[in-house]
Every structure is written in C-alpha cells, then in structure tokens.
C-alpha cells in the first residue's frame, strides 16, 4: 500500500536556526521539574515553551524501546522484501525522496511480541488498527517532506519504531509555520503522534544536511521505520 499522505504547505525554515531558541524545560523554565521533564529534554526541543505546552501529551518518544536483538529480528524480517525493490526518488504526491516501502501482515514470534508491545503503549484499548504494518526504508540521502497522513484512511494515532539510524522528526502547526517542535528519534526508539499532533501538525524527517537537534548534528544513515496506525472511527 502506498503511503497515504498529503503534503502540507512548504514550511518556513528561517526561524529554525535562531540562536535565541531554547530547549524544552531549560533551567530557567517555570514549568514542572523532575525526572520526567529531564527525560523529555533528551528528545523534545522547540521554538517556544508555548508550542511545547501545546504538544505535550500528544507526542512521545520512548528511547531504547527495543533491544539490539529485537532490532536485528525486525530488520531480518523486512529486509527480504525491501531488497527486492529499488529506492525511488519521486513519490506520487512528492512527499518522500529516496525511499522504498512494503507492507507486512505476518510476523515471526519475536517481532509479533514487539508489535504487541507497541500496540499496548500507543493505542487506546479496543482501537481498531490498520491491518498491514507499513515499513518505510529511507536511503541515507532520503527524507520525508512536511505532510499529514490522510484522515480518510488513518485514525488518531501513528506509532513508529526507528531502525538502523538516529533521525530528527520536525512537526509544525499548519496554522503557524514559524513555530516548530523537533523530536529526536534515536535508533531503536518508538515515537507516537496522537490527536492534535496527528491532525493539526505536519511532520517530516529532516535530510542529513539539516539533521540537527538542539544545535547538535544528528548524522543520518539508512533508516527503516516500522509504522502502526489505527483506523478512523
């Protein structure tokens, strides 16, 4: 199944390198303190505390969600189908550059156990899920442009496992493209976009030359994402 997404308006990028922008919950923050906020600092960064307050509860990154052994198991299962395909550098709606993709319905025992964990933490209990799992393979030079997944086919939640490489996902409100939030998707992490972050923000994977998080370079390599979605209700 082709990734069902629509490209948003081109996101303005002038403000993204502004040195005055600061990290979520910095030492001067008056927001909540404690272990949870420190953990968020590792993967969440934005143009203002206001926009970070908007997305809190609608975005989540769980670092080291899977082990190296589990990553290898997932990779072995998806690589067989992927290596038969060529990387494409144009998408039907110009949303993705340098990619190949497949779907998978049947999984081995270890991989099925991983996916059950994903479903348990990411989706509301009883939420009907889109049957086949979408597997998206980005070349080192590949990237995903700002888009919102089709509301016709996908529901309120998107959850993805990141294999082989770290990357940076940027989400931007459709109605104010000067605001932005970056998510550090470390290798073997699970990201979750829910509700407003899913419907009212575009999301993209930054190309290697733009791949920075909180001022630090995040080198991009080949990246595979294993993506679960629920159905619209």
């Amino acid at each position: 199944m082709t990734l069902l997404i629509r490209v948003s308006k081109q996101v303005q990028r002038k403000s993204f390198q502004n040195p005055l922008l600061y990290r979520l919950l910095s030492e001067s923050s008056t927001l909540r303190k404690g272990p949870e906020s420190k953990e968020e600092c590792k993967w969440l960064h934005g143009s203002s505390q206001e926009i970070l307050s908007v997305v809190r509860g609608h975005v989540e990154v769980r670092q080291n969600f899977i082990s190296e052994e589990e990553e290898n198991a997932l990779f072995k299962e998806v690589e067989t189908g992927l290596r038969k395909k060529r990387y494409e550098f144009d998408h039907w709606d110009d949303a993705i550059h340098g990619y190949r993709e497949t779907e998978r319905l049947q999984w081995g025992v270890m991989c099925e156990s991983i996916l059950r964990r994903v479903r348990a933490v990411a989706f509301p209990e009883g939420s009907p899920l889109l049957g086949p799992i979408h597997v998206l393979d980005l070349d080192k030079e590949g990237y995903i442009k700002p888009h919102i997944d089709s509301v016709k086919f996908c529901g309120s939640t998107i959850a993805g496992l990141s294999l082989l490489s770290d990357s940076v996902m940027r989400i931007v409100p459709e109605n104010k493209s000067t605001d932005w939030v970056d998510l550090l998707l470390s290798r073997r992490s699970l990201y979750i976009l829910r509700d407003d972050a899913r419907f009212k923000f575009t999301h993209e994977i930054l190309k290697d030359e733009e791949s920075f998080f909180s001022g630090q370079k995040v080198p991009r390599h080949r990246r595979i994402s294993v993506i679960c979605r629920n159905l619209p209700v």
Side-chain angles (χ1 to χ4, degrees), residues 2-17:
T2 303
L3 181 62
L4 298 166
I5 55 181
R6 63 183 177 82
V7 180
S8 173
K9 297 179 180 179
Q10 186 67 30
V11 176
Q12 299 179 16
R13 301 179 182 274
K14 294 182 180 179
S15 65
F16 295 158
Q17 303 302 321

Side-chain angles (χ1 to χ4, degrees), residues 19 43-44 91 94 102 114 119 130 133 138 162 214 217:
W43 56 265
L44 194 62
H91 188 260
D94 196 36
T102 187
I114 296 166
R119 296 179 187 115
L130 191 62
I133 303 297
L138 278 183
S162 297
S214 190
K217 176 65 176 172

Side-chain angles (χ1 to χ4, degrees), residues 5-46:
I5 55 181
R6 63 183 177 82
V7 180
S8 173
K9 297 179 180 179
Q10 186 67 30
V11 176
Q12 299 179 16
R13 301 179 182 274
K14 294 182 180 179
S15 65
F16 295 158
Q17 303 302 321
N18 189 328
L20 296 178
L21 299 179
Y22 49 87
R23 205 168 173 176
L24 170 68
L25 304 177
S26 62
E27 292 182 2
S28 62
S29 172
T30 58
L31 298 177
R32 59 189 173 89
K33 299 291 193 292
E36 184 176 355
S37 65
K38 291 179 182 178
E39 186 64 26
E40 282 183 343
C41 284
K42 297 178 182 178
W43 56 265
L44 194 62
H45 176 60

Side-chain angles (χ1 to χ4, degrees), residues 84-97:
K84 298 176 183 177
K85 302 173 180 288
R86 299 178 62 182
Y87 285 106
E88 300 180 38
F89 289 85
D90 55 349
H91 188 260
W92 64 276
D93 61 359
D94 196 36
I96 318 175
H97 178 84

Side-chain angles (χ1 to χ4, degrees), residues 62-67 117 186-190:
R62 298 197 176 200
Q63 297 176 319
N64 297 309
F65 186 80
I66 58 174
S67 67
R117 280 165 41 210
S186 56
R187 183 176 179 176
R188 296 189 285 274
S189 66
L190 172 71

Side-chain angles (χ1 to χ4, degrees), residues 23-209:
R23 205 168 173 176
L24 170 68
L25 304 177
S26 62
E27 292 182 2
S28 62
S29 172
T30 58
L31 298 177
R32 59 189 173 89
K33 299 291 193 292
E36 184 176 355
S37 65
K38 291 179 182 178
E39 186 64 26
E40 282 183 343
C41 284
K42 297 178 182 178
W43 56 265
L44 194 62
H45 176 60
S47 56
S48 70
Q49 291 190 22
E50 288 74 18
I51 193 63
L52 292 169
S53 297
V54 170
V55 302
R56 185 173 291 113
H58 301 280
V59 298
E60 184 178 358
V61 177
R62 298 197 176 200
Q63 297 176 319
N64 297 309
F65 186 80
I66 58 174
S67 67
E68 185 174 349
E69 180 184 10
E70 290 172 323
E71 179 189 40
N72 288 336
L74 286 165
F75 175 72
K76 287 178 181 178
E77 288 214 27
V78 302
E79 179 69 357
T80 302
L82 289 172
R83 67 186 177 191
K84 298 176 183 177
K85 302 173 180 288
R86 299 178 62 182
Y87 285 106
E88 300 180 38
F89 289 85
D90 55 349
H91 188 260
W92 64 276
D93 61 359
D94 196 36
I96 318 175
H97 178 84
Y99 77 102
R100 52 191 180 181
E101 62 185 343
T102 187
E103 288 185 321
R104 195 171 182 90
L105 193 58
Q106 301 294 327
W107 297 84
V109 174
M110 179 180 287
C111 294
E112 184 58 48
S113 175
I114 296 166
L115 294 170
R116 282 198 300 269
R117 280 165 41 210
V118 171
R119 296 179 187 115
V121 302
F123 298 95
E125 186 175 357
S127 176
L129 301 184
L130 191 62
I133 303 297
H134 181 210
V135 180
L136 181 62
D137 181 357
L138 278 183
D139 181 69
K140 175 178 169 54
E141 304 300 323
Y143 56 92
I144 303 177
K145 298 179 181 181
H147 70 277
I148 297 176
D149 286 21
S150 170
V151 297
K152 182 178 180 181
F153 299 99
C154 306
S156 62
T157 305
I158 303 168
L161 293 165
S162 297
L163 312 183
L164 306 184
S165 177
D166 299 342
S167 61
V168 178
M169 175 182 284
R170 174 164 292 157
I171 66 172
V172 176
E174 275 200 297
N175 61 357
K176 191 178 182 183
S177 60
T178 53
D179 281 335
W180 53 270
V181 173
D182 283 350
L183 309 178
L184 177 61
L185 307 185
S186 56
R187 183 176 179 176
R188 296 189 285 274
S189 66
L190 172 71
Y191 75 83
I192 305 169
L193 303 180
R194 297 184 177 97
D195 302 323
D196 283 356
R198 152 78 178 94
F199 294 115
K200 298 181 180 180
F201 286 70
T202 65
H203 62 277
E204 61 185 300
I205 296 294
L206 301 183
K207 59 182 70 174
D208 182 58
E209 58 265 34

